[in-house]
Amino acid sequence: MRPPSHLEALAELDLEADLDGTVQVLLEAGVRLLEVDGVGLMLADGQGRLCAAGGSDEACLAFLRAQEHLV
């Protein structure tokens, strides 16, 4: 039996059960799919203010948090 692909793993997520875990799985999949060292996720509210939603590691998250204050 082969392990599920990254995209198949995303299809099995229960978004309502564990939002923090879901974001972390998405970030880890992004690192693997894009073959990069780090991935970050920022969200914007209705007024366009950015908010760091998660980072694949502490360095990415620190970078995102710094970006929140630049806009």
Side-chain angles (χ1 to χ4, degrees):
M1 181 178 201
R2 70 175 178 80
S5 75
H6 305 309
L7 294 177
E8 289 171 340
L10 295 176
E12 297 172 9
L13 291 176
D14 182 357
L15 299 174
E16 294 179 15
D18 182 17
L19 184 57
D20 288 338
T22 299
V23 169
Q24 192 59 41
V25 169
L26 290 170
L27 293 169
E28 290 169 5
V31 168
R32 288 190 302 262
L33 288 169
L34 300 172
E35 298 179 359
V36 295
D37 294 328
V39 173
L41 175 65
M42 295 192 84
L43 301 175
D45 66 12
Q47 287 77 39
R49 290 183 302 246
L50 293 175
C51 176
S56 59
D57 57 32
E58 286 300 317
C60 285
L61 193 53
F63 180 76
L64 295 176
R65 288 191 174 134
Q67 282 186 309
E68 287 177 330
H69 303 288
L70 292 176
V71 178

